[in-house]
Amino acid sequence: MTKFLLSVHVLAAIVAIGPVAVAASMFPPAARAALARPGDEHSAGVARVLYRICGIYSALGLLVIVFGFFTAQRLDVLGQIWLMVAIALTGLAALVLAFAVLPAQRNLIDEITTAAAAHVAGTDNAGTDNAATGGGGAEASSGDMLVSAMDLPTADMPTASLPASRVAAALDSGAATGNGFALARTKRLAMTAGIFNLLWAAVTVLMIIRPGSTTGI
């Protein structure tokens, strides 16, 4: 029975937290793509789905932790060093997820939504201007493609402050890498997600190998 409980716990932990680890790693490039193409429902939809996966499976992960304590009590290993280290790493990983990964994802989702709304409004305004100027808007559009690092917004300015063509060109040309706007935030998020994944990988290894375990299983 104890071996069955332990197997179920490890399997449930992998199934519950595994999708979070994968989705958290996939979210930063998906967010960059959505910010580069405001109004693209596919890019924005991918980012939102990944964010929901992280949120939903994080909640399931809490149930796995509770089940883990029950299993450890049945195995009478609550005082063993390998389990105490695993619990400490699990708590640290949970803090990183709850206070760094998920809030950063939420902020980027909000910015994606704002950028999409601004893009729609800008498209409508561009159509009105074109009609009023008799085609002069085409020259403005070509001017938007002239990108330099000085033209890009800072971390305190929304991505929507620039036309979609300029944001996309900035990301493609690499001009955006020298400033602190959304691209830098997605890179920091990718690093944070990597830390979470490393912590969780260490917990998984400890739960499978159980160095110094006296259970005999």
Side-chain angles (χ1 to χ4, degrees), residues 119-133:
H119 174 71
V120 172
T123 301
D124 293 341
N125 291 337
T128 304
D129 291 343
N130 261 339
T133 59

Side-chain angles (χ1 to χ4, degrees), residues 45-56:
V46 170
R48 291 191 183 99
V49 167
L50 293 172
Y51 173 68
R52 290 193 193 102
I53 289 174
C54 288
I56 293 172

Side-chain angles (χ1 to χ4, degrees), residues 8-24:
V8 170
H9 170 60
V10 173
L11 180 61
I14 293 173
V15 170
I17 308 299
V20 179
V22 174

Side-chain angles (χ1 to χ4, degrees), residues 9-97:
H9 170 60
V10 173
L11 180 61
I14 293 173
V15 170
I17 308 299
V20 179
V22 174
S25 299
M26 294 175 63
F27 182 87
R32 284 197 293 270
L35 289 167
R37 295 185 290 273
D40 183 351
E41 286 300 322
H42 174 73
S43 297
V46 170
R48 291 191 183 99
V49 167
L50 293 172
Y51 173 68
R52 290 193 193 102
I53 289 174
C54 288
I56 293 172
Y57 279 88
S58 295
L60 293 177
L62 293 176
L63 297 178
V64 173
I65 292 174
V66 173
F67 181 70
F69 275 104
F70 172 74
T71 302
Q73 187 176 20
R74 287 292 302 269
L75 292 173
D76 194 25
V77 295
L78 283 175
Q80 295 194 11
I81 294 178
W82 67 270
L83 183 63
M84 295 173 66
V85 173
I87 291 173
L89 292 177
T90 299
L92 185 56
L95 290 175
V96 171
L97 182 64

